[in-house]
Amino acid sequence: MEPFQKWDSLFDYVKANWKHLSEKERNAHFQSLEEGRERLLSKWAEMDEKLALLEKDIGDFFHQMKKFRYESKGTSFFDLGMFEEAVQQFKQESKQSSNEIIFLYLGFSQLYAEHWIGAKETFLLLLHSHEESIVHFAYVGLGCLAVQEEQCEEAIAHFEQALTLTNNVDVVYNLGMCHYLQSRPTMALAFFEDVIKAMPDDGETYYYMGRCYLANHDIEQAFNAWLTALQVVETREILFTLAYDFEWIGMHNAAIHCYERLLSLGYDDIAVWHGLAWNVGLMDEREKAKDLFTTLLEQSDDVNVLTSYLWLLRTWGEKEELQRVANRTNHTLSNYPLCQASLLN
């Protein structure tokens, strides 16, 4: 059984049998759920980093392949992100032409469509090309494939080979990410610094530099790198991640700036306002936090928003307000007995 399924099964069991469990059993199960959540969050963070690397490679590949000036029905599918259709189309095109660009597109289409075996076979075939640019991209493809297979050492070897053929800043970034994923922050930093020399406004690289500094227990440098990232990055995912990291190390004011920047960029939704309200509350700006949470709860019955607000009220010792909000939102809390029991008892 997958970890997510195990957690869901335990949650469903406790939810259905809450009234029949002893206090000791309740506490034990609740602790198991909390520990499972932390493990899943840790795994999610790792998955998120790998996915970010793959997404960046897809974008970089789109850009770099334009210079080959090959256009077909297959490239149209590829540009639209329709990789399954692209795989089938490039297979047809490869039967009509020996142009190695078709096979390169085929290999990356197979990679993005998660046809791992086919992608590896295609990239290995292209290593015999007489064109250095083709071999370069074949090594890049093999490196990306190795990352997805969680073989970072193998990925590093492929990216290093690619770098011997073409001095490509995207490959330098990939090498930094691989060393970072292998818990070698100092080595990763060296590559990320080279990326910044070539692309001084790359907010994503500044973000991962901050993570490396943090791993080296250099909080000040991490904070400076993240502040730079905050000023230049415009992607929702990185700004949310920055906010979580600032919150994790207790820099709630910086986390608030992340959410305010998200709002300024047009990301006006419950998740952003929730993060803003939560960090305002953690800074003990009670009246402002209450106003924000009250507005949110008028707009949504999101249990995560409600749980955050009840937790803050309980922490502040505001029992009357806690009970008032709980009574008003009982229709939501009744579906989540674990939250109800932990926050109101």
Side-chain angles (χ1 to χ4, degrees), residues 2-286:
E2 293 294 325
F4 291 101
Q5 294 174 321
K6 290 180 180 179
W7 195 93
D8 282 337
S9 296
L10 179 57
F11 179 86
D12 291 341
Y13 168 78
V14 176
K15 180 179 177 181
N17 298 280
W18 184 255
K19 295 180 180 179
H20 308 293
L21 297 173
S22 67
E23 183 177 355
K24 183 177 180 181
E25 289 174 318
R26 291 177 184 176
N27 291 335
H29 288 315
F30 192 73
Q31 183 177 354
S32 295
L33 287 168
E34 285 187 325
E35 291 174 352
R37 179 186 62 186
E38 294 304 317
R39 288 194 296 271
L40 292 174
L41 284 173
S42 177
K43 185 62 178 177
W44 174 87
E46 179 185 343
M47 293 164 62
D48 185 58
E49 286 157 2
K50 290 180 179 178
L51 183 60
L53 177 57
L54 181 58
E55 287 175 343
K56 185 173 177 65
D57 286 330
I58 291 174
D60 294 337
F61 185 73
F62 280 167
H63 176 72
Q64 294 175 31
M65 286 298 286
K66 297 297 183 184
K67 68 181 183 181
F68 289 110
R69 297 178 183 174
Y70 175 79
E71 294 183 1
S72 68
K73 187 176 180 179
T75 61
S76 296
F77 283 133
F78 190 93
D79 291 341
L80 291 170
M82 301 171 64
F83 300 119
E84 290 286 355
E85 293 81 357
V87 167
Q88 299 307 315
Q89 183 60 36
F90 286 128
K91 284 183 176 179
Q92 289 297 321
E93 293 176 19
S94 67
K95 294 177 182 178
Q96 302 165 7
S97 172
S98 59
N99 189 339
E100 291 177 326
I101 302 303
I102 298 173
F103 288 93
L104 196 57
Y105 267 110
L106 172 60
F108 278 92
S109 298
Q110 290 169 320
L111 171 65
Y112 302 147
E114 299 185 4
H115 298 183
W116 309 131
I117 296 176
K120 190 168 189 175
E121 290 176 349
T122 303
F123 290 136
L124 288 174
L125 176 67
L126 289 171
L127 292 183
H128 300 288
S129 172
H130 296 294
E131 291 290 333
E132 279 195 359
S133 58
I134 296 293
V135 178
H136 166 81
F137 278 113
Y139 275 121
V140 171
L142 287 169
C144 294
L145 180 60
V147 170
Q148 296 310 302
E149 294 177 336
E150 300 187 0
Q151 301 294 324
C152 280
E153 295 298 345
E154 181 180 336
I156 288 170
H158 291 311
F159 288 137
E160 286 178 342
Q161 284 290 338
L163 206 57
T164 64
L165 298 167
T166 301
N167 188 14
N168 186 330
V169 69
D170 299 315
V171 175
V172 176
Y173 175 87
N174 289 348
L175 282 166
M177 281 297 299
C178 285
H179 285 293
Y180 168 75
L181 289 170
Q182 290 297 93
S183 300
R184 293 193 287 263
T186 302
M187 294 185 69
L189 266 172
F191 287 105
F192 290 143
E193 286 168 354
D194 284 343
V195 173
I196 291 301
K197 290 176 184 176
M199 299 189 301
D201 293 329
D202 192 276
E204 195 166 320
T205 301
Y206 277 113
Y207 167 72
Y208 282 108
M209 287 177 70
R211 292 297 298 268
C212 291
Y213 285 126
L214 189 64
N216 284 338
H217 309 290
D218 192 338
I219 302 296
E220 183 178 354
Q221 286 280 51
F223 182 68
N224 290 335
W226 284 342
L227 279 182
T228 303
L230 175 57
Q231 294 170 27
V232 298
V233 75
E234 295 186 351
T235 59
R236 177 187 174 91
E237 294 77 10
I238 292 295
L239 283 168
F240 257 107
T241 307
L242 263 174
Y244 294 149
D245 285 334
F246 279 131
E247 180 186 325
W248 180 257
I249 61 177
M251 294 180 174
H252 303 296
N253 195 43
I256 289 170
H257 284 308
C258 291
Y259 292 115
E260 289 175 339
R261 179 156 169 76
L262 281 162
L263 290 170
S264 72
L265 291 169
Y267 298 108
D268 184 5
D269 55 64
I270 294 295
V272 176
W273 284 105
H274 179 198
L276 178 61
W278 171 246
N279 279 277
V280 168
L282 291 176
M283 290 190 68
D284 208 28
E285 296 183 18
R286 300 187 184 187

